[in-house]
Amino acid sequence: MKQLTRLALVINDVQRFVICDPEKDSLAVVLRRLGLTGTKIGCNTGVCGACSVIVNGQVIRSCTRKMKNVAENSVIRTIEGIGTPQNLHPLQQAWITYGGIQCGFCTPGFIVSAYGLLSENPSPTREEVREWFRSHRNICRCTGYKPIVDSVMAAAKVMRGEATMADITFDPDSVKDIYGSYLPRPSAVAKACGLADYGDDIKLKMPEGVAHLAVVISKVPHARIISIDTSEAEACEGVYKVMTAKDVKGTNNLDSPAVVPRQRGTGLTLFPVLADEKINRIGDAVALVAADTEEHARAAAEKVKQNLEILPAYKTLPEAVMPNAIQLNKGVPNFYMEQPVFKGQDPSEIFDDAPHVVEGSFHSQHEPHLPIEPDTVQAYWGTDGLLTIQCKSQSITESIAAVSQSCGIPTDKIRMIMNTTGGSFGYAVSSNTYALVVTAVQNLDMPCTLTLPYAEFNHMSGKRSATFTNGRLACDENGKIIAAEYDVGLDHGAYGEVAGKIFNNLVSIGFHGYNIPNIKALARGVATNNAFNTAYRGFGAPQIYTTTEALMDMLAEKAGIDPWEFRYRNLARPGDTNINSMPYYDYEVYPKMLEMIKPYYDKYKAEAEAGRAEGRHLGVGLSMGGFLVTIGMFDQAEVALELMPDGTFTHYNTWEDVGQGGDIGALTHAVKALEPLGVKPGQVHLVMNDSKTCPDTGLAAASRSHYMAGNATIDAANKLMDAMRKPDSTYRTYAEMVAEGIPTKYIGHYDQFNIGLPPGLNPNTGEGEKNPTYMYNANTCLVEVDVETGKTKVLRYTTACDVGVIGNRLSVEGQAYGGLSHSIGFALSENYNNELRENNIAACGIPQITDIPDDFNVLFHESKRPNGPHGSCGCSECFQSSNHMAVINAIKNACGVRVFALPATPDKVKAGLEALKRGEEIIPEKYYLGTDFEEELDFIKANPI
Ligand code: FES
Ligand code: FES
């Protein structure tokens, strides 16, 4: 018999009475049941701080506090008791104003935690703030932390009476030109007050009669399914149905072709919604349980039995391409696509006689995205007859197509709405969980909801592809590069999803900004039994810069030239071409990036020198990079603008907002495009991310949204203003438009079909240009290595970037700090190897606040992009391109250890130090990537397609 208890609690200054299961219920669950959903549940294991509340004056993580450990009459404060939209607390206002909010999922926990800090210490130093958040395990994946510390410091001033609320509030009426302003995002107030409803909050607020789902996932990486026994699970209390592959109504295949037009390769992998014949990774969905409660669904899921024939698992690319390896995907070889690059003289003819040559083999890891919010999905038949899916998709149209194909529903029968989303960074382009919930709705004919526990989310979701690369680089006596070659294998995991898009970047982004006169390179795509791989900020760029920016430093050292000078000497100048034999767009920007970074580089070098004199192991690193903008010639975007009866405007779009600021982007573009009408931010409403009501603006990826949606908005605004304009050049009112029968709503369109871009790289030569513009950056940092433990700490970091004319400064700075913090994590700690123990953000190496420097600088150079909206391009992926390599190069500078295989965890650095003590160096052996590099390129030359 279930026994409950009644407890009196003082919550946000009011006595409340709760009924709870003292053994099972956590305080977080009870608070959320009361409707206080500002207390978020992310990890549910005490490692993210999203559930922070104050109990009897102490900040605690409420997800791990069982109700049996909450005393009667405890005094509890949640985010709802700190301030309201009508009466914001200084902390909430500061978070809004200083960029503390992006996706906002961590925000309530941080603000509550900061409230606890300032109650104890009204005048903390920045270091004390950082230490507080570290010790209370408040983790933010979006902001890079610096804006959060800025927010606390600003709020503390107000609370001490040294500043006013007005001082820390951005006044929208003060904006003369919205473009380039610090206007906060429209969703910030709701997020700061804990009132933004994310997926799991929506689940709690749905009407009765909803089926709760639990997924049964594979716990082994490779197996043949003999049978799935669901009988015991079917008999469990509250179970409606247990579904397996036979219950999927469509093709049961989520994958789109791995090989995009003009690529060399074979076939289409099968990415099942529910595994049918085979398991290809830990995290494949094997069965789906629907029950009356989440608890019942989860209990029944435990009873599903997987009868499997275990097969050999290839967790890395070199294993999967061994000559005797078994084929992982039906009809698709393990090594399933390739792209060569040939430019200039064959480097093989140059290397032997070159004055300076370096070579190495490099590995970049499967990086997990680690948003604080796990995946949540609701789906139901709408009153309009559409199957409505509420989820985190950042590619609504593609997700609808994937669900349609795999679940057997016409696309025009599907409506997709994006919930407020607690971070994605790319994983939410995948549709595997959406298709699962749709399958349940189809089978049960009732609304269904799924909230994945973090461990399952981490195993089920896609990751950044890993790479294994062999590379060489040569220069002449003057330090001018004369030849390069690299053979890069993309370890793309279980399925081919987006492989084609990531893949080509490996042979177009490498050595970005330099003049490499002679190069040959090969990119290979390979299937393994690791997680399936998907989009992640900078897709393909961090992987290839791991090789090229290491080789640049290694060659500079070999030639005896300072790494800054070496890079500067090798910059592309007018007349030079990129590795795809195309002219660069902005020759004047590359030297600017290095020049802007130079004072910081010199300062860090002087500090490192002084530190070394005291016996510290300080080092300075550099990297140069950048990334493309848009998905190339096939890219297109639409938005709509409507004049409303009250004279305001509505902007309709699917600029998916994963926390990067789709809302402030759309608002900024609309106000700017309607500038001739004198429109203010408060006069524009946003209708976003609902496929029924919004035109298709395309996916939020490839740093394309600001560029594409911006150009489409200009088109919509021009059409609307043309319609409103009277012969005397004044503008019609809504009433006048209606009276004259003139439409008040216009679709704006922008595409790249006819701007001269080819559909991709030439599959035989690697020649060609894929993108209309690029972003550029150079990075430097100062690190310290603890030679006892091998641990690296980044002390200072500065990036100089050109991301075009800035639309919203708060968002762009936010993307910079956030992307750089992921880059530092990628360099030092983040990893995912498809192991069961990698079940939360801590186990996967997410950086805490003290792992990210507070001395963190972003320097902007704003050159106008000719075809960009108001001179803009994109920004996000610039900050997660080569940025990690400044850290890796700094480690070498600090202690002499070059880490060839990321991340540079303490054990690797320590092993390198031990080897140096023995007078050795750890040099990885050349990777075997399936076939001989030279022979493969000769074969491609002899067999053009
Ligand atoms: S610490 Fe409680 S949800 Fe993460
Ligand atoms: S804003 Fe902190 S996790 Fe997204």
Side-chain angles (χ1 to χ4, degrees), residues 217-221 281-284 306 315 454-456 458-460 530 832-840 843-844:
I217 63 168
S218 57
K219 303 242 167 80
V220 297
R281 57 164 183 141
I282 288 174
D284 268 344
Q306 303 178 39
K315 299 286 279 295
Y454 205 94
E456 284 174 20
N458 207 34
H459 295 311
M460 286 183 69
N530 214 306
Y832 181 83
N833 279 316
N834 206 217
E835 303 283 348
L836 284 171
R837 64 178 166 72
E838 294 163 327
N839 54 9
N840 65 44
C844 289

Side-chain angles (χ1 to χ4, degrees), residues 28 39-52 60-65 105 136-139 372 374 454 841:
T39 300
K40 304 298 178 196
I41 296 181
C43 66
N44 208 19
T45 50
V47 296
C48 78
C51 61
S52 299
I60 62 134
R61 276 154 276 158
S62 59
C63 70
T64 51
R65 178 65 60 93
F105 197 78
H136 289 82
R137 275 218 82 91
N138 290 104
I139 306 281
I372 308 300
Y454 205 94
I841 57 172

